[in-house]
Every structure is written in structure tokens, then in C-alpha cells.
Amino acid sequence: MGTVIMHSVASVDGFIADANDDVGPLHDWYFSGDVPIGADDAHSGTGGGIRVSRASAAYVGPMWESIGAIVMGRTLFDLVNGWEGRPPAGGHVVVVSHRPKPEGWHPEASYHFVNDVTAAIEEARKLAGDRTVAVNAGEVGGQILAAGLVDEVAMDLVPVVFGSGKRYFGAIDGRHLLEDPHVVIQGDRVLHLKFKVRH
């Protein structure tokens, strides 16, 4: 089975968005480089036009290519309208939600709605095969980490302080130990870090 990686862009004080779900300058580095990443059209899940620095491309490109399935919460699904059925990476998405998929919403898309984080990881692993399962950070990601289902934590730290907002690990309970970072890559206006989770 593939690795389960919890991932998101975060401020240096650990927020993935402000209280109104606005990411502010957190994603600016996705559009300020000269190396295109992912599908480059206006209808792609990435929004098209993603261009990162050479250092970030060497990290982001292979990481996105390794993803077989994404696990996300309903809040993010609603905010981005499920990337219009075209995720930025991987061919499958599992949404943790107590509400079903909106009626008639992109029936061609491989989006699966489950109401439990354990079931979400089981479904995502089946769909991904031996490829990576990427878990979006936030409340759902924190619940999956707390359940012991995350193998690695990947953070793209941006030099901005939010002060408050939506936390990378959500409202996670307890202490969770990570190993020393095994990936440390400095991009332009972003620091890429990866930690294995100590089980």
C-alpha cells in the first residue's frame, strides 16, 4: 500500500487559512516561478497557470505525480466546489462528510463521500493502490493523524504570520511525535518540509 501523507501550505505560525477560509498570500509561490507544474489549462483542477521556482518544482512535481487519491473534508470540498471534478493530483478523491455528494454534481468524477475518517483512508488506499494517499490538512487531517493513520506530514511553510485562523492540525488532541525532517527544501517564499510520523 502507498504512503499516507498529510499535506498543506501553512503560515509559519501553523495556519492554513484565516477564520474566513481566505488563504491570503499562502499560495502566491504557486504562481511566481518559471517552471509549470500540473495541467496548464483554465479548467484543470489546479486552476491552471501554476508556475513555481526550480527548487519547488523538483519537490512538488514528483510529489503530485505520486498521488493516487486525495482525502479532503467537506468544508474544502464546498469552498473549491471539488475542483469541478478535476483534482490537482491523482484520479480519485474521498470526501469526509455526513452529507452525500450534491445531486447531479460531476457524475463522471471519481469522488467518494464517506462519513468517517477511518473509512475514508480505507477507501482512499483501495483507490490509490500502491500510490500515495494525500490527506488535506485541517480538521479532517488532524483527526486522521490522531487516529494513527498518517505516515508522513508534509508542510509548505510560507513566511507570513496569520495570528489566528484555521490550524494545520485542526483541533487535534494529545501529543504526536514526528521524526526529524527528512526533506528540507528552500524554494522562493516557501520552505518544503517532510516528517515521518513516529508510531
Side-chain angles (χ1 to χ4, degrees), residues 108-196:
E108 78 289 353
S110 180
Y111 278 58
H112 309 264
F113 286 62
V114 299
N115 63 9
D116 169 80
V117 295
T118 303
I121 293 299
E122 285 175 11
E123 182 70 13
R125 281 185 182 270
K126 275 191 257 179
L127 294 165
D130 58 2
R131 299 182 74 202
T132 299
V133 172
V135 175
N136 282 304
E139 290 299 328
V140 166
Q143 291 170 29
I144 293 170
L145 177 68
L149 300 172
V150 173
D151 300 310
E152 293 184 28
V153 170
M155 301 178 86
D156 299 321
L157 284 182
V158 173
V160 61
V161 175
F162 272 30
S164 64
K166 305 292 176 83
R167 296 193 166 278
Y168 182 95
F169 293 103
I172 193 168
D173 285 332
R175 180 178 297 162
H176 302 271
L177 295 176
L178 309 177
E179 300 294 347
D180 289 338
H182 63 278
V183 173
V184 180
I185 297 171
Q186 183 176 336
D188 294 338
R189 302 293 298 161
V190 63
L191 178 66
H192 306 290
L193 299 170
K194 255 190 183 178
F195 309 83
K196 289 191 186 325

Side-chain angles (χ1 to χ4, degrees), residues 88-105:
H92 311 282
V93 175
V94 178
V95 181
V96 180
S97 176
H98 294 294
R99 292 178 286 136
K101 184 192 302 191
E103 195 171 329
W105 183 88

Side-chain angles (χ1 to χ4, degrees), residues 46-108:
T46 62
I50 290 187
R51 302 178 79 77
V52 299
S53 70
R54 197 159 302 288
S56 289
Y59 169 75
V60 174
M63 185 168 162
W64 284 13
E65 288 166 17
S66 75
I67 294 170
I70 292 173
V71 177
M72 68 191 309
R74 185 60 182 252
T75 299
L76 181 58
F77 174 86
D78 289 342
L79 280 170
V80 300
N81 196 26
W83 301 298
E84 297 299 337
R86 299 177 72 179
H92 311 282
V93 175
V94 178
V95 181
V96 180
S97 176
H98 294 294
R99 292 178 286 136
K101 184 192 302 191
E103 195 171 329
W105 183 88
H106 294 284
E108 78 289 353

